Amino acid sequence: MEDIEKFINGFSRFQQQYFQDSQGLFDSLRQGQKPSTLLIGCCDSRVDPMLLTGSDPGDLFVVRNIANLVPACTPTASAGVSSAIEFAVCELEVERIIILGHARCGGIRAVMSPRKAERETDFVNQWMRVAEPVAERVRRDLAHRSSAEQHQACELASILLSLDNLMTYPWLKRRVEQGLLKLHGWYFDLEKGALMAYSARQHAFLPLVGSLPERQDATA
């Protein structure tokens, strides 16, 4: 019950902040939403897009799934993810899409080290097939590297895969080509507390927000 009380108390603080102290925000949001950004992130409980970006209600249209993946536009594509992207792009007309990946992703660990299903269902491995092409490439090209290095390489490569897959949606591609929509690939290094962004010009993930100086031992 302590967890439930935490959530209820949290809602009370939310209510105080947005429905009493800042009434104007929700007065406008009652009329409808107009977020500028679609953020596709991971379900991981450590990587909350609203918390990480300091966003208010109405700022982000958020899609979360295991390993922040975007399936290619095919007749068998996941309707849940694809329909959310379609709504954000075609109805809300967002100005940018951010794919937000992160370090120590359990979904990437699953695709890099697949296990035989021990349950009646195997939804995780079925979903992670989206990332199998990059996992295969990483296992082949970085076979001489450590497991940790391979996993991070796959985390980064899966962000690029999702960016490429976004461009398979014709209505999305048109808006990008018209200059109405920008695509971004971000990576949250939760070990260092840093944020990286992919640079197409340099073909690399570069720091957007660097890590903090190492903390000193309080007893030092």
Side-chain angles (χ1 to χ4, degrees):
M1 287 299 296
E2 290 183 0
D3 283 344
I4 293 296
E5 288 299 325
K6 175 182 178 179
F7 301 148
I8 295 171
N9 292 336
F11 183 83
S12 295
R13 292 192 296 272
F14 165 83
Q15 183 188 62
Q16 175 74 29
Q17 179 178 355
Y18 289 106
F19 282 82
Q20 184 164 330
D21 297 345
S22 302
Q23 292 184 8
L25 175 59
F26 267 89
D27 284 345
S28 63
L29 290 178
R30 289 188 187 98
Q31 309 306 315
Q33 61 171 324
K34 189 59 179 175
S36 64
T37 303
L38 163 62
L39 189 146
I40 302 173
C42 184
C43 296
D44 195 303
S45 61
R46 302 166 294 179
V47 188
D48 186 300
M50 300 291 289
L51 183 64
L52 289 178
T53 60
S55 295
D56 285 322
D59 288 344
L60 296 176
F61 191 79
V62 178
V63 177
R64 299 182 72 175
N65 62 63
I66 294 178
N68 42 269
L69 296 175
V70 173
C73 183
T74 66
T76 58
S78 169
V81 174
S82 300
S83 64
I85 296 171
E86 182 179 70
F87 186 80
V89 173
C90 299
E91 300 297 329
L92 299 177
E93 298 184 340
V94 294
E95 300 169 9
R96 70 188 61 83
I97 300 176
I98 299 171
I99 305 292
L100 176 63
H102 68 96
R104 294 189 175 273
C105 178
I108 295 301
R109 184 172 64 249
V111 75
M112 288 297 293
S113 306
R115 299 177 181 177
K116 185 176 180 180
E118 299 175 354
R119 297 175 292 271
E120 295 86 349
T121 58
D122 192 19
F123 294 132
V124 173
N125 285 333
Q126 289 179 37
W127 171 248
M128 290 308 302
R129 288 173 187 163
V130 174
E132 185 58 38
V134 293
E136 288 183 358
R137 187 168 70 245
V138 167
R139 286 192 292 263
R140 181 187 67 243
D141 296 346
L142 301 181
H144 58 292
R145 299 291 185 87
S146 69
S147 174
E149 289 175 306
Q150 290 183 33
H151 285 189
Q152 184 180 52
C154 191
E155 289 162 354
L156 297 173
S158 69
I159 296 172
L160 303 185
L161 174 69
S162 289
L163 289 173
D164 288 342
N165 284 349
L166 282 173
M167 292 295 285
T168 65
Y169 294 82
W171 29 265
L172 187 153
K173 183 179 180 182
R174 282 196 295 271
R175 292 187 66 82
V176 170
E177 292 173 342
Q178 293 166 359
L180 301 174
L181 180 64
K182 302 293 185 183
L183 307 183
H184 304 269
W186 287 6
Y187 179 78
F188 170 45
D189 187 337
L190 57 80
E191 295 182 10
K192 299 179 180 178
L195 182 65
M196 315 287 286
Y198 182 71
S199 168
R201 180 176 299 176
Q202 300 194 38
H203 302 288
F205 280 85
L206 305 177
L208 269 183
V209 181
S211 57
L212 294 171
E214 292 188 13
R215 291 173 292 184
Q216 299 298 314
D217 192 320
T219 61

